[in-house]
Amino acid sequence: MTTIKLHNSKTRKKEVFTPIDPDNVQMYVCGPTVYDRAHLGNARPVVVFDVLFRLLRHVYGDKKVTYARNFTDVDDKINTRAAESGRAIGEITSETIQWFLEDMGALGALQPTHMPRATEYIPQMIAMIEELIARDHAYEAEGHVLFAVDSWREGYGQLSGRSVDDMIAGARVEVAPYKKNPMDFVLWKPSDADQPGWESPWGRGRPGWHIECSAMSHDLLGESFDIHCGGNDLMFPHHENEIAQSCCANPEGEFARYWLHNEMLQVEGKKMSKSLGNFFTVRDLLDQGIPGEVVRFVFLQTHYRKPMDWTEKKAAEAEATLRKWRALTAGIEPAATAAAAVVDALSDDLNTAGAIAEMHKLAAAGDGAGLLAAGQLVGLLGDEMGEWAAAPSVDLSAHEARLFKARQAAMETKDFSEVDRLKAAYTEAGLEVRMSKTGVELVPGAGFDAAKLEALS
Ligand SMILES: Nc1ncnc2c1ncn2[C@@H]1O[C@H](COP(=O)(O)OP(=O)(O)OP(=O)(O)O)[C@@H](O)[C@H]1O
Ligand SMILES: [Zn+2]
């Protein structure tokens, strides 16, 4: 069997992956808080860990991998959005979940086995909090229940490699008079009448964010499971707190054995994020005519543990490559199995760029069947994603000649309206118009849409 190696953030080493049960390999990915369209950064973990899911299915069998990814549908950011917009919380979360599934589907992400919504697991969260109180790891104070980090000094901070004292010095923690230690974090908090709330032993209230993932992963995957994934921005405090809750509530279990963290998608050196406002959504790109498959290809070209930028140049190159590959694989059946070199690259801590390099070799050798089989493994070249490429790539020389002639005529008549009209139409179709004394060049950008040229009469 193929040996998969994964970089485990818990040990900070690349390790051979050995599942607890090869007949049921389990992974959990922290999903989105649902109040807005996913931005391109949010899509990175989805695509990266979709490749992991596909690789595990390839190695262990399609039916032998269980993948859970949650929706956080109770959160103060959602409450704020509802209050601002005057809309019901349930309406906002349902709509956002639908958008998320559509947008990630367009990027070729398979649906996880389980997609739990936090609000459907409140009884499990309450039960876990009760367990933590019973084991002296949590305490009630002024309608809140807090996790006591001093009750687990030996474990708290191991993932992120910080001591509790360092954390207090470095973190912006919410100071509250009822906290025994400033690092203690909320498991349950009281709700006002106009906030969402559930009856609990501590009064009507709602869960903290971290307990949601601990309760859902426990319910769906058990007290020990194989792989836990998420962005590295979640390592502290979210994952540190998940570990504390899960290990203290279920000390017989190991919780997650391998931790994978993706690096951030950046904009000019800074994390793309909603709070910084430096973001664009996946839907924005799709609406500009950039195929989801192109977005996916661009992601796969950077290793998941390296920061990356989105650039139009990368998108244009990805599109050109995919066009060639699609032409080579049209009407061909995939090979029975993906080339060993492709599987080996992915098995080396998800070296997707290496897998793409192997796919270039297959293409250069004219091996369309091999290319398709490799494509299935990384989620490229599937029929369901290929509509964009079905449009014939147009011969632009006729358009270039037309614009050139129009300009020559305009030089004589001094009426440039036709030139302007053509230029606007070409730009609108996603072409860059380069005019010089000797000629005209039309260069397709990432959002080039040939269909728009047909309308040009
Ligand atoms: N720029 C990014 N690059 C890669 N992954 C990201 C990026 N931003 C968020 N993520 C990941 O997306 C998932 C959902 O994150 P979340 O809902 O907190 O969005 P967010 O944009 O980080 O919000 P905020 O900007 O308010 O911090 C998490 O797994 C997180 O790690
Ligand atoms: Zn989580």
Side-chain angles (χ1 to χ4, degrees):
M1 186 179 275
T2 311
T3 302
I4 299 178
K5 287 185 181 167
L6 299 172
H7 182 273
N8 188 352
S9 313
K10 200 159 111 177
T11 56
R12 297 171 186 78
K13 280 193 201 107
K14 208 195 270 188
E15 296 176 348
V16 171
F17 172 66
T18 319
I20 300 170
D21 175 5
D23 286 331
N24 183 19
V25 183
Q26 299 183 308
M27 59 184 276
Y28 184 92
V29 177
C30 292
T33 304
V34 283
Y35 62 99
D36 217 341
R37 284 266 187 202
H39 60 63
L40 191 63
N42 300 141
R44 192 172 186 199
V46 175
V47 170
V48 159
F49 300 123
D50 178 65
V51 174
L52 175 64
F53 183 40
R54 286 171 189 263
L55 175 67
L56 293 170
R57 283 162 51 112
H58 177 80
V59 173
Y60 294 96
D62 279 359
K63 300 219 156 50
K64 304 214 164 150
V65 186
T66 304
Y67 171 13
R69 185 186 64 214
N70 70 295
F71 287 113
T72 294
D73 63 348
V74 47
D75 186 281
D76 289 349
K77 287 183 200 167
I78 307 174
N79 302 344
T80 309
R81 179 57 59 93
E84 283 166 4
S85 63
R87 298 177 67 200
I89 287 175
E91 206 183 303
I92 293 177
T93 55
S94 301
E95 176 183 75
T96 313
I97 288 173
Q98 195 53 40
W99 284 342
F100 185 84
L101 294 176
E102 286 165 12
D103 295 351
M104 299 308 131
L107 305 185
L110 300 174
Q111 292 211 346
T113 327
H114 302 290
M115 292 190 277
R117 298 182 189 197
T119 50
E120 289 166 358
Y121 287 78
I122 302 289
Q124 290 89 331
M125 294 177 206
I126 292 176
M128 192 175 251
I129 297 170
E130 286 182 309
E131 188 67 40
L132 289 169
I133 295 175
R135 291 178 183 272
D136 281 334
H137 287 296
Y139 59 96
E140 189 188 353
E142 296 181 23
H144 294 69
V145 183
L146 293 132
F147 185 92
V149 294
D150 288 320
S151 74
W152 202 52
R153 281 239 167 198
E154 68 278 22
Y156 197 71
Q158 262 176 24
L159 179 72
S160 46
R162 324 181 196 195
S163 70
V164 175
D165 294 328
D166 286 349
M167 288 179 201
I168 294 173
R172 273 186 297 162
V173 287
E174 193 193 340
V175 190
Y178 49 80
K179 282 189 183 180
K180 291 184 184 165
N181 181 314
M183 291 310 294
D184 290 353
F185 57 89
V186 167
L187 302 172
W188 190 264
K189 55 187 162 187
S191 292
D192 296 339
D194 58 349
Q195 287 171 322
W198 291 263
E199 287 311 324
S200 82
W202 320 286
R204 187 175 169 280
R206 60 197 192 282
W209 171 33
H210 316 300
I211 196 72
E212 299 178 11
C213 285
S214 283
M216 288 185 274
S217 64
H218 180 254
D219 192 78
L220 292 165
L221 307 179
E223 56 188 30
S224 305
F225 61 91
D226 295 307
I227 312 176
H228 193 310
C229 313
N232 69 353
D233 57 332
L234 301 185
M235 201 180 305
F236 181 82
H238 182 55
H239 290 161
E240 201 72 70
N241 293 353
E242 273 189 47
I243 294 175
Q245 297 160 160
S246 295
C247 291
C248 291
N250 303 292
E252 307 77 31
E254 289 179 83
F255 191 37
R257 299 170 68 228
Y258 299 81
W259 284 82
L260 264 62
H261 287 101
N262 65 277
E263 249 290 354
M264 293 294 101
L265 180 90
Q266 301 188 332
V267 181
E268 287 166 5
K270 288 207 178 77
K271 171 192 167 186
M272 175 179 282
S273 84
K274 272 170 235 151
S275 15
L276 289 176
N278 61 348
F279 68 96
F280 48 87
T281 65
V282 172
R283 183 51 54 183
D284 290 335
L285 289 181
L286 297 171
D287 285 349
Q288 285 164 28
I290 299 180
E293 189 176 28
V294 167
V295 178
R296 185 178 181 97
F297 190 103
V298 171
F299 276 137
L300 298 186
Q301 279 191 299
T302 304
H303 190 253
Y304 76 97
R305 294 203 302 116
K306 295 206 177 98
M308 69 171 283
D309 272 316
W310 169 267
T311 66
E312 284 191 15
K313 183 162 174 279
K314 284 183 190 171
E317 284 167 5
E319 179 164 342
T321 301
L322 284 167
R323 261 189 206 286
K324 274 191 224 142
W325 289 3
R326 282 200 169 270
L328 185 65
T329 54
I332 286 186
E333 285 296 310
T337 176
V342 176
V343 180
D344 287 350
L346 295 177
S347 303
D348 182 14
D349 194 28
L350 305 180
N351 181 3
T352 48
I356 299 257
E358 292 300 331
M359 289 174 76
H360 276 293
K361 288 187 203 162
L362 292 168
D367 183 358
L371 192 56
L372 266 184
Q376 285 176 341
L377 194 52
V378 296
L380 295 173
L381 303 176
D383 287 343
E384 70 293 347
M385 291 183 91
E387 265 171 40
W388 67 273
S393 52
V394 282
D395 179 8
L396 293 170
S397 57
H399 289 285
E400 288 167 346
R402 180 173 176 183
L403 182 54
F404 187 67
K405 268 194 211 146
R407 191 181 55 171
Q408 278 182 322
M411 304 272 227
E412 311 228 319
T413 60
K414 304 284 178 240
D415 174 6
F416 281 84
S417 55
E418 175 66 1
V419 174
D420 291 340
R421 184 182 80 92
L422 288 174
K423 269 169 69 177
Y426 292 135
T427 308
E428 167 66 21
L431 293 165
E432 189 194 328
V433 183
R434 294 183 190 159
M435 296 177 100
S436 68
K437 281 195 193 111
T438 50
V440 168
E441 204 188 345
L442 296 174
V443 186
F448 174 52
D449 181 358
K452 288 194 178 153
L453 294 179
E454 282 163 26
L456 206 65
S457 56

